[in-house]
Amino acid sequence: MTTQVAGPAEVPADDRYDEFLAAVQARFQTLVAEPAELFTVDTEGLFEVFLGAFPPELAAVNTCGTCRAFLRRYGGLVIVGADGKATSALWSSAGIPPHYAKAAAALADRVEHAPIVSLFRSEATNWGYAEHGGWTHLALTPPAHMVHVRTPLRTTSQYIAAKNADSETLRRALGEFPESVVKQAVALLRTEQLYRSDAILGVATWLLELHRTLGAIRGRGDAAQARRDNLIRLAAATAPAGYCHIKSGMIGTLLTDLAEGLPFDSVQRRFAEKMHPLQYRRPTAAPTEAMIARAEQVIGELRAAGALERRFAKLADVQPLWRPARSGDAARTRPEGVFSHLVPAAKRGGATDLDSAPVVMTWEKFARTVLPDAERIDYQVPEAATSYGAMVTAANPEAPPIIQWDRTDRRNPVTWYVYVNGSAPTRWGLHPGEFRAVTAVVPHPANWYEPDRTGREQAVLFALADATDTGYTGGAGFFPEYLRAELHEIRKTLEAHTTGAVVAGRDEAQVCGLILSKGGSGGHCFRVTADGIRTRYTIDRWD
């Protein structure tokens, strides 16, 4: 704020205060033009630093309760760079009018050399008061993506507290499990000799990269340690759900076993026992009355009762990698154009079978070289039980998100289920030996809009024509491990719910079929029609 005061000191006729305010806002907008995590340092005494940089006459006219409150709440905001250095989100002498350049530089120096004390989030759409009491003041208007959206379950302050706690949990894990042990765990997981190793490879590689990033900062002094601390806070703030809880997760079990020098056979057996689908990230005891009461409260607060109601998915609900352009014809999708309705003469008749043995390849090569040109795909149904599954979605599309990859600004409530140890083809209306048309190839929903950061969900579903789970009688169609982090506290009750719930629309399901996953069984046979030629393929493994 600027105002004229009486006294012998002469106040500049134009101190260009409005330009100072605009420069602070412009710097902030530039630094947060893309989503960024904000942190704050201790702002005690920051207003005094601001005033102390002025000559007495300017200090007097800038003495303002509104600006003091702004500096206390927002003046310590920093952004942590990839090198761990904290940069003030507001203060720099660059582009600042001369009368305020020294104050901006003093604020930047104080903020950038102070330790971070917390993550920063705010629901406010205006930070500070640009105009108050007839005067203009320091204030910011954050872009929409920097405004925190609270959930009915967790307030903004609770979110901040949880993230701050995550950073401390992560810090302890980094100290307990050195880089050498984490490196050994990653190497072992990549051999795929551990059951369902892909489920925790993501967190293991994330932890190893963090170790390496921290190790790249040279020096033992306070400045180097501050940069390491900042990087740990940044990692905790941006980590996928559960990643910071190293010791309490499966990665902690593996790291502990390796640190204790257990033989490989023991490590492998213990890992397999805990990674069994009926054990991994699933509650094993019945919920208590207190847990049930808390769950009812949470669900009521979250208004998620509608989200717990599920139905079997239709093709319109999913994001396929491939699907035929026309039902019955199974022609591949072509770009629209003036002559798109014309079908080449060679393709009007039946296809010709290629007289050769099946081509054996990995899923990744099949996806890269076969899918783009496939006009029709048929799956040869085996006699043995295998990994058949179905996709389900929220019955109420307006219900609040409860799934990790579902967001209010980009809805995706789809999940899938599969039976442990597989299921018989007859359960799904399939007949051993037949070739059943594939109506879509759909990746795991966690990968529809961006790669799944956890690395767990490397799988695709081959939707088969008219396949439905004819033996289905109950179960909500999602695992507790799919739930958003804020629902983990009530997962025992939700597990009980999933057991007794019934997914609607079983007979109208359109996305049921073979689930092919990394680490799953291979040897699946397909007949692919492309350019009038039918070729048989066997997918023997993922990659």
Side-chain angles (χ1 to χ4, degrees):
M1 178 186 78
T2 59
T3 184
Q4 300 292 328
V5 296
E10 182 178 349
V11 178
D14 181 10
D15 60 8
R16 298 167 64 185
Y17 180 70
D18 289 341
E19 291 181 38
F20 167 59
L21 300 182
V24 172
Q25 173 77 356
R27 173 178 172 81
F28 176 73
Q29 293 291 346
T30 298
L31 291 178
V32 299
E34 298 294 331
E37 293 295 340
L38 288 173
F39 301 87
T40 186
V41 303
D42 186 0
T43 57
E44 182 70 27
L46 198 59
F47 190 63
E48 285 68 31
V49 171
F50 177 63
L51 294 181
F54 294 118
E57 63 274 14
L58 270 181
V61 299
N62 282 280
T63 300
C64 165
T66 302
C67 291
R68 180 191 294 272
F70 174 85
L71 283 168
R72 184 171 56 247
R73 180 78 175 96
Y74 306 104
L77 296 183
V78 295
I79 293 174
V80 175
D83 59 357
K85 291 183 179 179
T87 300
S88 172
L90 280 67
W91 315 118
S92 170
S93 59
I96 299 295
H99 290 298
Y100 288 91
K102 184 178 178 181
L107 289 171
D109 182 69
R110 169 66 178 273
V111 167
E112 293 177 355
H113 289 88
I116 290 174
V117 295
S118 175
L119 179 74
F120 177 86
R121 290 292 180 96
S122 175
E123 302 170 48
T125 54
N126 291 292
W127 297 355
Y129 297 92
E131 293 187 13
H132 183 66
W135 305 102
T136 54
H137 307 274
L138 286 164
L140 298 171
T141 301
H145 63 259
M146 296 301 293
V147 176
H148 183 75
V149 179
R150 64 168 292 178
T151 68
L153 177 61
R154 181 181 286 179
T155 65
T156 301
S157 60
Q158 288 172 331
Y159 178 90
I160 293 171
K163 286 294 186 179
N164 288 339
D166 280 351
S167 69
E168 292 305 311
T169 302
L170 178 59
R171 190 187 317 277
R172 289 193 296 270
L174 287 163
E176 184 167 350
F177 302 115
E179 181 179 344
S180 59
V181 175
V182 180
K183 184 177 180 180
Q184 184 182 357
V186 170
L188 183 57
L189 290 167
R190 284 176 173 162
T191 66
E192 300 184 8
Q193 295 184 63
L194 299 180
Y195 178 57
R196 297 184 70 201
S197 59
D198 55 294
I200 65 167
L201 181 57
V203 63
T205 54
W206 174 83
L207 186 62
L208 179 58
E209 286 304 313
L210 180 56
H211 259 303
R212 289 171 172 167
T213 300
L214 297 175
I217 297 176
R218 302 302 179 190
R220 296 172 179 258
D222 292 344
Q225 188 56 49
R227 290 168 60 192
R228 296 187 191 98
D229 291 342
N230 294 346
L231 286 171
I232 293 172
R233 284 189 178 273
L234 180 61
T238 57
Y243 266 35
C244 295
H245 297 261
I246 302 296
K247 192 167 184 178
S248 62
M250 265 307 303
I251 181 62
T253 299
L254 176 60
L255 292 172
T256 299
D257 289 350
L258 293 176
E260 293 178 354
L262 294 185
F264 174 74
D265 289 346
S266 297
V267 172
Q268 186 179 46
R269 175 180 52 78
R270 283 166 50 81
F271 192 87
E273 289 172 354
K274 294 190 176 184
M275 286 300 295
H276 191 279
L278 294 180
Q279 299 293 328
Y280 178 58
R281 301 186 73 181
R282 300 182 74 172
T284 56
T288 65
E289 290 185 8
M291 290 176 180
I292 294 173
R294 172 59 179 158
E296 293 293 343
Q297 177 189 356
V298 167
I299 292 171
E301 292 173 351
L302 191 62
R303 301 188 301 279
L308 294 177
E309 296 173 5
R310 313 283 286 171
R311 65 170 173 81
F312 281 89
K314 298 181 181 294
L315 288 172
D317 298 317
V318 304
Q319 298 288 329
L321 288 172
W322 175 94
R323 67 168 302 187
R326 297 184 295 275
S327 60
D329 183 303
R332 63 189 171 99
T333 303
R334 301 184 184 88
E336 295 183 359
V338 176
F339 302 105
S340 61
H341 63 289
L342 299 179
V343 180
K347 296 183 181 179
R348 289 196 185 115
T352 301
D353 288 312
L354 187 65
D355 186 16
S356 67
V359 181
V360 179
M361 63 176 58
T362 65
W363 153 253
E364 288 192 348
K365 184 175 181 180
F366 184 87
R368 186 176 65 253
T369 64
V370 178
L371 274 188
D373 296 317
E375 298 163 6
R376 179 185 178 98
I377 301 176
D378 297 282
Y379 171 61
Q380 187 172 22
V381 179
E383 293 186 3
T386 192
S387 296
Y388 296 110
M391 286 190 167
V392 302
T393 188
N396 176 9
E398 302 302 320
I402 63 170
I403 304 300
Q404 290 177 19
W405 46 84
D406 190 13
R407 298 181 352 201
T408 53
D409 62 334
R410 190 190 63 204
R411 298 310 305 267
N412 178 13
V414 180
T415 59
W416 73 32
Y417 70 86
V418 62
Y419 292 100
V420 177
N421 300 322
S423 50
T426 52
R427 181 188 178 101
W428 300 84
L430 305 173
H431 308 292
E434 73 166 322
F435 279 94
R436 183 67 67 95
V438 175
T439 57
V441 180
V442 189
H444 191 284
N447 294 297
W448 286 359
Y449 297 104
E450 59 189 9
D452 171 39
R453 289 184 62 194
T454 68
R456 291 195 302 262
E457 314 304 349
Q458 298 185 66
V460 294
L461 186 148
F462 287 80
L464 303 176
D466 301 320
T468 59
D469 187 358
T470 62
Y472 172 81
T473 56
F478 64 85
F479 295 110
E481 64 184 89
Y482 292 164
L483 293 172
R484 295 167 70 95
E486 57 262 36
L487 292 173
H488 283 188
E489 65 175 293
I490 61 167
R491 59 182 178 176
K492 286 187 178 181
T493 306
L494 285 177
E495 173 82 352
H497 168 83
T498 61
T499 302
V502 176
V503 179
R506 182 195 70 180
D507 296 336
E508 291 76 42
Q510 294 180 342
V511 196
C512 303
L514 173 72
I515 292 180
L516 182 67
S517 62
K518 185 170 184 176
S521 61
H524 300 289
C525 300
F526 298 87
R527 186 176 63 192
V528 178
T529 303
D531 199 23
I533 302 295
R534 278 197 299 257
T535 306
R536 291 177 297 158
Y537 294 89
T538 297
I539 299 179
D540 64 340
R541 62 189 188 281
W542 184 265
D543 56 11

